[in-house]
């Protein structure tokens, strides 16, 4: 059977206005990186987030923002980072690269994100940092988690790669922690031509180091140059944190991407609201099939980046559902986010042990529906009707 509703690798389509902004930047941006559009995107992003100017930094993707956040932690031998096992691998390995040991926290079976309780359960005297992932676009209970981290003196980092625009009580995902990262990858609700990211650093002193850290250690000289070419090219140096030197990277995002990112901030709330309305319509239309359990959240706490469900009747029913949806209906659902402790990479590192029964149960029975923003009304209606038919058939 032909695919009728695909799980697209592309989340949104661009408007003519957005395309015009890209063309304008292609034509006129000078330089094509690290210029006016970067500063504009970072400034508008800080306003959107409701955080201070000078705390948001574009990066070439979410993963490089995560790596910078890991660098700023300056881990010592034996330091532990608590992170959910149910997430995308890029949430986790940057902390491994910077010397931390990962400790897996379980998610709540219904909301699929970590809780203050599940984090507290795995804290040890060696815990240095906690990474909270707002997976699927739902903001974890940040007031409680932030209070816990404050009480224990832990660095709190939010992976808001999937949660741009989601909020609790008017506070945006990514504005609760000491640091946060966002992704503008092709799959995300806001995408800057396929790759892009943002790092938020609350502390002004740490934030001031990011431009140098992000761009090869380039910085100014601490004296006036009599001739602008003597010495040539500005200085290269690196800041020290806790008496240790940080190492440089080149993780910049280009001007065309930044121009588009700044423009898309005007539309992101609309995109999120439309996805949420659709998700709620889908969930409510399937109320008479309680075996398929969704996480229903009728507020901006969820942006429904993805539409995920769990087949409570078990893995066999889940597999029969997926098979019939694909083979008989041409609807390509997928299964996402293998608990990281199961991957060979983490096992080889000695991080293959986790006590995360909810993450395991959820992953083993989960279904992620195609949910790109540009699904047509016809595709959406067809997917809903197909879901109802297949659920009835496999009962
Ligand atoms: C997409 C994603 C990332 C990585 O972002 P990139 O921009 O692809 O590097 C990290 N964490 C989560 C939860 C993601 O979904």
């Amino acid at each position: 059977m032909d695919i009728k509703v695909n799980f697209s690798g592309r989340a949104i389509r661009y408007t003519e206005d957005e395309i015009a902004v890209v063309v304008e930047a292609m034509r006129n941006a000078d330089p094509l990186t690290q210029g006016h559009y970067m500063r504009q995107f970072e400034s508008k992003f800080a306003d959107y987030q409701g955080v201070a100017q000078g705390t948001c930094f574009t990066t070439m993707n979410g993963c490089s923002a995560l790596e910078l956040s890991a660098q700023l932690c300056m881990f010592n031998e034996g330091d532990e980072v608590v992170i959910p096992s149910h997430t995308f691998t890029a949430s986790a390995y940057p902390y491994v690269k910077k010397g931390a040991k990962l400790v897996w926290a379980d998610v709540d079976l219904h909301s699929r994100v970590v809780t203050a309780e599940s984090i507290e359960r795995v804290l040890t005297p060696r815990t240095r940092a906690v990474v909270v992932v707002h997976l699927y676009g739902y903001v974890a209970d940040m007031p409680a988690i932030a209070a816990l981290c404050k009480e224990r003196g832990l660095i709190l980092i939010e992976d808001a790669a999937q949660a741009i625009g989601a909020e609790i009580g008017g506070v945006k995902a990514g504005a609760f922690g000491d640091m946060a990262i966002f992704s503008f990858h092709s799959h995300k609700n806001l995408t800057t031509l396929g790759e892009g990211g943002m790092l938020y650093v609350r502390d002004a002193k740490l934030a001031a180091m990011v431009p140098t850290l992000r761009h090869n250690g380039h910085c100014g000289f601490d004296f006036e140059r009599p001739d602008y070419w003597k010495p040539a090219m500005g200085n290269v140096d690196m800041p020290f944190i806790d008496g240790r030197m940080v190492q440089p990277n080149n993780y910049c995002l280009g001007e065309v991407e930044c121009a588009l990112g700044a423009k898309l901030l005007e539309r992101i709330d609309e995109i999120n609201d439309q996805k949420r309305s659709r998700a709620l319509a889908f969930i409510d239309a399937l109320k008479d099939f309680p075996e398929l359990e969704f996480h229903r959240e009728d507020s901006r706490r969820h942006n429904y980046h993805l539409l995920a469900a769990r087949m409570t009747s078990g893995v066999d029913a889940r597999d029969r559902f997926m098979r019939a949806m694909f083979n008989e209906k041409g609807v390509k659902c997928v299964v996402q986010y293998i608990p990281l402790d199961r991957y060979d990479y983490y096992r080889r590192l000695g991080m293959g042990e986790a006590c995360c029964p909810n993450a395991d149960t959820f992953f083993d029975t989960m279904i992620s529906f195609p949910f790109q923003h540009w699904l047509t009304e016809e595709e959406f209606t067809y997917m809903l009707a197909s879901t109802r038919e297949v659920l009835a058939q496999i009962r």
Side-chain angles (χ1 to χ4, degrees):
M1 161 134 212
D2 290 342
I3 293 191
K4 290 214 167 110
V5 185
N6 199 8
F7 194 99
S8 174
R10 173 182 183 144
I12 58 171
R13 298 237 166 253
Y14 296 121
T15 64
E16 288 307 315
D17 277 359
E18 288 154 5
I19 291 168
V21 163
V22 167
V23 171
E24 160 69 18
M26 281 173 76
R27 243 192 266 284
N28 297 321
D30 178 7
L32 275 159
T33 184
Q34 298 243 293
H36 156 76
Y37 290 111
M38 178 188 83
R39 290 188 291 276
Q40 181 190 43
F41 188 20
E42 292 175 348
S43 171
K44 280 178 78 172
F45 196 86
D47 285 346
Y48 180 78
Q49 286 295 112
V51 297
Q53 288 294 319
T55 58
C56 296
F57 303 93
T58 54
T59 54
M60 62 188 186
N61 50 45
C63 189
S64 49
L66 280 153
E67 198 173 310
L68 291 172
S69 78
Q71 253 188 320
L72 290 173
C73 291
M74 296 300 280
F75 295 117
N76 295 302
E77 179 83 29
D79 281 352
E80 293 177 357
V81 170
V82 170
I83 188 161
S85 67
H86 184 56
T87 183
F88 183 55
T89 182
S91 301
Y93 76 83
Y95 299 95
V96 176
K97 280 172 80 175
K98 296 300 165 196
K101 177 182 177 229
L102 303 180
V103 175
W104 309 113
D106 204 2
V107 294
D108 176 74
L109 186 56
H110 189 65
S111 67
R112 305 98 178 230
V113 292
V114 290
T115 61
E117 294 70 39
S118 77
I119 292 167
E120 188 163 18
R121 229 177 288 142
V122 295
L123 295 180
T124 77
R126 292 175 302 280
T127 311
R128 271 289 304 287
V130 171
V131 179
V132 174
V133 185
H134 307 306
L135 204 65
Y136 304 109
Y138 179 70
V139 192
D141 184 358
M142 291 314 291
I145 293 170
L148 172 69
C149 289
K150 192 164 176 207
E151 184 194 312
R152 304 293 183 94
L154 304 172
I155 304 168
L156 175 57
I157 301 159
E158 296 179 74
D159 177 343
Q162 302 189 357
I164 186 168
E167 61 181 48
I168 296 180
V171 181
K172 292 274 194 306
F176 292 92
D178 299 300
M179 292 187 254
I181 74 94
F182 300 82
S183 167
F184 312 128
H185 177 268
S186 178
H187 279 153
K188 306 306 196 300
N189 285 8
L190 189 162
T191 173
T192 50
L193 301 176
E195 294 282 350
M198 190 75 76
L199 170 68
Y200 163 67
V201 179
R202 180 191 299 276
D203 180 81
K205 243 176 84 190
L206 285 181
M209 297 176 185
V210 174
T212 300
L213 199 62
R214 175 179 60 177
H215 190 218
N216 304 313
H218 287 317
C219 54
F221 289 106
D222 57 4
F223 54 86
E224 281 282 316
R225 287 180 292 179
D227 294 309
Y228 68 84
W229 64 93
K230 283 195 228 172
M233 296 176 67
N235 200 7
V236 168
D237 195 4
M238 285 306 292
F240 283 69
I241 305 176
D242 301 336
R244 280 187 293 155
M245 193 196 278
V246 193
Q247 292 304 321
N249 313 279
N250 184 4
Y251 289 167
C252 300
L253 184 66
E255 283 288 277
V256 176
E257 285 84 352
C258 289
L260 178 60
K263 176 73 183 164
L264 281 167
L265 283 177
E266 296 168 12
R267 192 161 68 102
I268 186 62
D269 287 344
E270 183 188 318
I271 291 172
N272 286 345
D273 289 346
Q274 286 166 344
K275 289 192 81 162
R276 186 183 322 97
S277 308
R278 237 187 192 172
L280 294 173
F282 195 77
I283 293 167
D284 291 345
L286 291 166
K287 262 199 195 124
D288 47 335
F289 293 97
E291 64 270 35
L292 189 63
E293 186 189 272
F294 289 89
H295 177 210
R296 190 181 193 287
E297 175 62 45
D298 189 1
S299 83
R300 282 195 164 166
R301 186 166 174 181
H302 207 327
N303 72 9
Y304 285 95
H305 163 62
L306 291 168
L307 181 56
R310 183 170 80 90
M311 191 69 84
T312 58
S313 45
V315 60
D316 187 56
R318 191 278 303 271
D319 291 341
R320 282 191 291 140
F321 177 84
M322 296 274 297
R323 218 171 278 132
M325 285 292 277
F326 188 67
N327 294 335
E328 295 164 30
K329 304 293 183 188
V331 178
K332 190 172 182 189
C333 300
V334 304
V335 170
Q336 286 174 298
Y337 307 121
I338 298 183
L340 298 181
D341 52 286
R342 297 188 193 179
Y343 277 123
D344 288 339
Y345 169 75
Y346 296 98
R347 299 177 95 103
R348 281 186 212 287
L349 289 165
M351 300 171 191
E353 296 295 319
C355 181
C356 299
N358 291 337
D360 288 326
T361 301
F362 181 73
F363 172 74
D364 289 336
T365 51
M366 83 86 70
I367 297 155
S368 187
F369 289 85
F371 207 53
Q372 53 272 17
H373 179 249
W374 53 275
L375 272 184
T376 64
E377 215 36 54
E378 196 185 356
E379 286 173 314
F380 181 71
T381 309
Y382 175 78
M383 178 164 83
L384 177 57
S386 302
T387 301
R388 293 191 58 86
E389 277 173 45
V390 169
L391 284 171
Q393 172 190 319
I394 65 164
R395 245 180 187 171

